Amino acid sequence: MKSIRVASYNIRKAIGTDRRRSPERVLEVLAEVDADIIALQEADRRFGVRSAAIPPWLLDSLSSYKPVPLNVQADSMGWHGNAILVRKEAEIGAHDVLHLPCLEPRGATMAEVTLGKSKMRIFGMHLDLSGLWRRKQAAAVIHAAGLREEMPTVLMGDLNEWSAGRGCLADFARHYSFAPCGRSFHARRPVAQLDRIMHCGQLKLVDSGVHDSAAARKASDHLPIWAEFWL
């Protein structure tokens, strides 16, 4: 039985801890993680035309991934910075963007992905800095996931939750299990588990962790997290 590896990574618009913008470093880290499906946060630049932090030609030529086509903005990879990457051989089925309740622009993404004989649904998100809005946003994602037909489902992203087991974490925990990935922020000295991977009961967790490499400590202020599942 082949396992499926997923990952979540806040790439900070490809600006590293040395304040240099280098999408090539982000791609180096993605190659190290070697996940089948990746949820990215801060995947687009913040201002102007919000162009993709990793130019499409660079992603295509230097990686084994393709983005889920969200068709929201011509130059963007994601929706409010949220993007989903899959291996080039993967089949992308239904996909959508979610509008989340917010004071500042926030969103989430969804894609149904088939790899070989395995099919799963992915939600990627980047929640608010405010605890009240995080809980509202978590409720919106949980509701959206519940409206769809049953399928092995993973929710992942930067939840911005510093507390242990309270707030939106408690809300998600009523419906999903958390992969114990570990501390991913700040990349130079990880003290917080801001990034999370959650899964439904149709998936059996094999292993999970934080990818802490020399490249990852420079490429962003977050380290990528990953989890491996059997369907």
Side-chain angles (χ1 to χ4, degrees):
M1 184 187 299
K2 185 183 185 301
S3 61
I4 298 288
R5 176 180 280 228
V6 303
S8 179
Y9 191 16
N10 183 331
I11 65 171
R12 197 195 186 192
K13 298 171 282 294
I15 299 173
T17 50
D18 57 1
R19 300 187 180 180
R20 289 198 305 113
R21 186 187 301 277
S22 176
E24 291 87 353
R25 284 193 302 202
V26 173
L27 294 178
E28 179 185 350
V29 174
L30 295 183
E32 291 176 350
V33 177
D34 195 28
D36 300 297
I37 305 168
I38 305 162
L40 294 181
Q41 302 86 49
E42 298 194 31
D44 299 321
R45 298 196 187 195
R46 188 171 177 84
F47 301 108
V49 295
R50 295 181 177 269
S51 58
I54 305 173
W57 65 268
L58 198 65
L59 182 70
D60 185 54
S61 60
L62 294 185
S63 85
S64 58
Y65 298 103
K66 62 184 178 182
V68 170
L70 300 175
N71 304 321
V72 179
Q73 285 182 278
D75 295 321
S76 300
M77 180 190 294
W79 165 245
H80 295 307
N82 294 282
I84 298 175
L85 302 182
V86 299
R87 293 200 186 275
K88 288 176 180 174
E89 65 270 23
E91 294 178 23
I92 301 168
H95 52 282
D96 204 356
V97 298
L98 282 69
H99 298 263
L100 299 183
C102 58
L103 279 176
E104 61 175 13
R106 294 281 175 176
T109 53
M110 184 283 298
E112 294 175 3
V113 182
T114 302
L115 280 152
K117 296 180 179 179
S118 302
K119 184 175 183 179
M120 64 196 310
R121 182 179 293 125
I122 301 292
F123 285 86
M125 70 197 83
H126 188 182
L127 302 190
D128 206 273
L129 295 173
S130 157
L132 175 63
W133 286 104
R134 277 197 302 275
R135 296 198 69 178
K136 292 180 178 180
Q137 291 161 3
V141 174
I142 292 166
H143 177 71
L147 292 176
R148 296 187 171 270
E149 64 175 294
E150 274 198 27
M151 183 184 297
T153 299
V154 170
L155 288 70
M156 52 185 171
D158 180 354
L159 303 192
N160 263 322
E161 181 61 72
W162 288 77
S163 67
R166 298 197 302 274
C168 73
L169 299 184
D171 298 332
F172 280 120
R174 283 192 282 272
H175 304 270
Y176 299 95
S177 300
F178 283 80
C181 297
R183 297 172 180 175
S184 55
F185 182 85
H186 185 279
R188 284 184 170 172
R189 186 172 177 268
V191 296
Q193 297 185 59
L194 301 187
D195 305 284
R196 301 279 186 159
I197 296 176
M198 302 160 278
H199 62 95
C200 73
Q202 294 186 55
L203 291 163
K204 178 178 174 57
L205 181 66
V206 179
D207 199 5
S208 64
V210 175
H211 181 76
D212 187 358
S213 69
R217 287 191 292 272
K218 290 181 180 177
S220 171
D221 59 348
H222 287 246
L223 297 171
I225 60 172
W226 58 271
E228 235 171 272
F229 297 103
W230 286 334
L231 273 67

